[in-house]
């Protein structure tokens, strides 16, 4: 039973990082200007991506007989959102700054998924595959955010 509890804790950590992403992208949507409809669409898609990942993780926790921590965020996530708020205040909420803050959050998500995969907990193959699939999907999002940010730098 101890094993299940430890795997459930790893999955709950991933739920928390996805909660961070959802809150971070909701904040990013509110920080973008009306003319930045393309970014708002992108940020909504990324928040929805985390909602889907969260639902999949909750399902796996249920299969293990555990309780999902569906509403918590990580301490680093709170720091990320605070950093984003401060950065936006000083930067005038321009596209580059919002994208840079989002990239910072994507880096945190990648770190969380790496830690889950490197965990010493023995996971079922299906759980490891789910985490690997979600990490790859989040990596694509990270790279997309980075490309958008790089385009803003190039356009200056």
């Amino acid at each position: 039973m101890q094993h299940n509890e430890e795997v459930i804790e790893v999955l709950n950590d991933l739920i928390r990082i996805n909660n961070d992403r959802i809150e971070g992208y909701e904040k990013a949507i509110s920080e973008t200007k009306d003319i930045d409809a393309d970014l708002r669409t992108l940020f909504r898609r990324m928040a929805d991506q985390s909602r889907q990942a969260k639902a999949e993780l909750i399902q796996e926790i249920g299969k293990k007989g555990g309780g999902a921590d569906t509403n918590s965020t990580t301490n680093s996530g709170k720091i990320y959102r605070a950093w984003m708020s401060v950065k936006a205040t000083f930067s005038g909420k321009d596209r580059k700054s919002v994208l840079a803050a989002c990239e910072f959050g994507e880096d945190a998500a990648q770190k969380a998924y790496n830690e889950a995969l490197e965990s010493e907990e023995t996971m079922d193959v299906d759980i490891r595959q789910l985490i690997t699939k979600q990490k790859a999907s989040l990596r694509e999002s990270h790279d997309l955010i980075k490309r958008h940010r790089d385009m803003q730098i190039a356009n200056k």
Side-chain angles (χ1 to χ4, degrees):
M1 194 54 119
Q2 179 69 23
H3 166 70
N4 269 359
E5 290 172 14
E6 292 165 352
V7 171
I8 289 167
E9 184 56 33
V10 169
L11 296 176
N12 271 319
D13 285 346
L14 295 179
I15 288 173
R16 286 188 280 275
I17 199 71
N18 278 288
N19 285 341
D20 290 341
R21 281 185 89 238
I22 293 165
E23 286 189 30
Y25 281 114
E26 293 295 332
K27 174 87 174 144
I29 290 166
S30 72
E31 297 293 333
T32 54
K33 299 174 182 158
D34 290 339
I35 61 169
D36 294 322
D38 62 326
L39 289 184
R40 286 184 179 192
T41 300
L42 176 66
F43 297 157
R44 277 189 198 94
R45 187 173 53 180
M46 302 228 174
D48 288 343
Q49 177 187 41
S50 274
R51 287 183 186 96
Q52 177 64 37
K54 178 180 167 180
E56 292 169 351
L57 294 165
I58 290 169
Q59 184 177 12
E60 289 302 319
I61 290 172
K63 288 179 189 177
K64 292 277 184 198
D69 186 5
T70 58
N71 296 318
S72 296
T73 57
T74 65
N75 287 333
S76 62
K78 291 174 185 168
I79 292 167
Y80 157 56
R81 287 187 302 281
W83 179 84
M84 189 172 183
S85 295
V86 169
K87 188 139 175 84
T89 300
F90 290 113
S91 68
K93 302 177 185 174
D94 64 16
R95 286 175 67 99
K96 182 179 145 226
S97 297
V98 172
L99 287 163
C102 291
E103 184 180 4
F104 179 84
E106 291 298 331
D107 288 341
Q110 283 297 302
K111 182 179 178 194
Y113 273 81
N114 282 336
E115 288 174 4
L117 289 169
E118 292 168 2
S119 165
E120 295 192 14
E121 296 312 315
T122 306
M123 294 180 217
D124 299 340
V125 172
D126 56 332
I127 291 176
R128 187 164 293 281
Q129 286 176 336
L130 173 65
I131 294 171
T132 301
K133 176 189 73 114
Q134 288 184 358
K135 180 183 181 299
S137 178
L138 294 178
R139 184 68 201 182
E140 289 174 13
S141 295
H142 171 277
D143 293 348
L144 183 58
I145 290 290
K146 185 176 183 327
R147 279 194 303 276
H148 277 275
R149 183 191 54 92
D150 289 348
M151 285 190 306
Q152 294 308 303
I153 293 170
N155 290 334
K156 293 284 178 186

